[in-house]
Amino acid sequence: MPFGAAECGLAGAPVGVVLLGEAGEEVGDEGHHDLGSLELASCCNIIALTPLALRGVRYTPASAHDLLRRNLTRYGIGGLISPFLGIKRIDLLISQIPGLG
């Protein structure tokens, strides 16, 4: 059975709920065990990062010009270009997945 909200203790369900069939075998989608572990990891990341999100970030009003200058000083020209390259790389990887691309 793929992991979901029940394994993380969300939605009022106990942690680790497993459905069993007549002969005691686990009932679920047999072909997607790797997706279940990915969902569990995602769920745990959300729980771990919630306090950080609630704390927020410090906001200082500044113009777009000032923000660009500060970020270029801090991260260089690579900080301006690398996010676009990373997004393109993710796009190329997703396009290789059958049924999604």
Side-chain angles (χ1 to χ4, degrees), residues 3 5 19-21 25 34 37 46 52 56 59 61 66-69 73 75 84-85 87 89 91:
F3 292 105
L19 298 176
L20 298 178
E25 73 277 1
D34 56 338
S37 60
I46 289 171
L52 181 65
Y59 174 73
D66 292 339
L67 288 174
L68 180 62
R69 185 174 347 125
T73 303
Y75 304 114
F84 295 100
L85 296 176
I87 291 170
R89 179 180 292 165
D91 180 49

Side-chain angles (χ1 to χ4, degrees), residues 2-45:
F3 292 105
E7 283 72 16
C8 295
L10 300 175
V15 175
V17 172
V18 176
L19 298 176
L20 298 178
E22 290 178 6
E25 73 277 1
E26 185 177 341
V27 175
D29 192 0
E30 301 300 327
H32 298 289
H33 291 291
D34 56 338
L35 291 177
S37 60
L38 183 63
E39 289 178 11
L40 178 64
S42 176
C43 180
C44 293
N45 282 336

